[in-house]
Amino acid sequence: MNSETIGKLTQNLRGALIGRDHIDYEDARKLYNAMIDKRPLLIAKCSDAADVIAAVNFGRDADLPIAVRAGGHNGAGFASVDDGLVIDLSLMRGVRVDPVKRTVRVGAGCTTGDVDHATHGFGLAIPFGVVSTTGVAGLTLNGGHGYLTRQYGLAIDNLVEADVVLADGTFVTASKTERPDLFWGLRGGGGNFGIVTSFLFEAHPADTVYAGPIFWELKDAAQIMRWYREFLATAPDEFYVFLGLQTVPSADPFPVEHRGKRICVLLVSYNGAVAEGEKAVNAVRQALPAPIFDFVGPMPYPALQGMFDGLYPKGLQWYWKGDFVKTLPDAAIEAHIEHVAEAPSEASLMHLYPIDAAVHRKAGNETAWNCRDATWSMVIAGVDADPRQAPTLKKWASDYWQAVHPFDLGGAYPNFMMADEGDARLKATYGDNYEGLLNLKKKYDPDNLFRMNHNIRPAA
């Protein structure tokens, strides 16, 4: 690389090109997960699709490794690359709601919070995740599950079309009628096939939800988990309940006398009439022991989406392990409780997110996201602010996962997988769809330009 070559890219960008000597370099290269520390050669801050095309052509012709950054939230750190080019989409944050058609056009740099803010004014929402700082692009391309999933499906189930820049610099649109093979692969295959510059989603009614967390001491966890595994199958679609094993944070609004306690939490959300939601949650309250506190009540949907943002800001140390889970036998419950009791920090956790109901109503080969017969998506996350804790977080999460994985399915939600998972895990995650993804990769990215991801290598 020389100044003349870099200068040509600068001339072709409306956004900024940030090199290592740029005043904004250190801030621009930071990721959500501070355990990942990479030093790219260049960061192209793209303002539109034309910028993305210019950056792709430059990176390919210069033979630079390319990473794509949208929200920068990916736990494995795929949003950056050492000594390569980061194509940064974070400036592309436009959202346009069509309340008549109930569709939403979303720029690839948006967070889910950006979209929630725009759609809430129309009483609408898109099924995204549970933290509003998450990037829409990474969440969607790997499936996307959250509070509205039981009712409306995964994020990819509500994707209508996507604009994509391919490895050769071509700009295309993918939908059920236009490049349907690419559209199939984008819905769960990650960033393997190109760079999505905008998404068009179907939106659904969601305004005020009856929602919030209910906390019990860990001594009640086994009873609650046994109840939960039976309850979920009978719950109406609009009633979403995820289960967590974690620690009461030492921060407001949590009562001082309970801070630091290991607990079992049910995070409930009823998207429907508030009175019906209160009735549904009251039935849960009556079925279980008295909690140590209960923060459930009516709230705007975006408030629910942003509930954890303050507890998990950018810059913490994260190590993730995930699995798809079909059943929760007593032996698995015992293993979960044993390992959570030894959590290395207040922020470390295990969550079971439901992926049943509406998710199960689509065939496994309808999208690249394959695991339509699971009941939950599990994540184990070792989290702490102190970089010195990184080895301890990794060991705890890995040991915990080793203990419960024999009870789980072979694959996992890609957004809950680190970069050290290996091909066997990827094949287990995609199952019968893996061969189709290999062939799609060969067609759209034969030289594997887009490889900073859970990489699907082109078929020979």
Side-chain angles (χ1 to χ4, degrees), residues 226-280:
R226 288 193 294 267
W227 168 88
Y228 180 62
R229 71 187 177 192
E230 305 299 328
F231 166 80
L232 197 63
T234 65
D237 291 0
E238 57 268 30
F239 194 19
Y240 180 92
V241 184
F242 84 70
L243 182 142
L245 298 176
Q246 50 198 100
T247 304
V248 180
S250 295
D252 291 333
F254 301 100
V256 173
E257 65 271 23
H258 296 305
R259 293 178 183 179
K261 285 183 178 178
R262 300 285 190 260
I263 50 91
C264 178
V265 59
L266 294 179
L267 197 299
V268 305
S269 174
Y270 189 96
N271 181 41
V274 169
E276 290 300 312
E278 186 173 15
K279 181 180 177 181

Side-chain angles (χ1 to χ4, degrees), residues 130 147 209-216 224 228 232 239-244 246 264-270 281 284 295-296 299 304-305 307-308 351-354:
V130 299
Y147 294 116
V209 292
Y210 192 78
I214 309 174
F215 284 48
W216 290 265
I224 293 163
Y228 180 62
L232 197 63
F239 194 19
Y240 180 92
V241 184
F242 84 70
L243 182 142
Q246 50 198 100
C264 178
V265 59
L266 294 179
L267 197 299
V268 305
S269 174
Y270 189 96
V281 176
V284 173
F295 287 164
V296 181
M299 65 179 70
L304 173 64
Q305 283 281 80
M307 184 174 289
F308 297 125
H351 285 170
L352 288 170
Y353 299 106

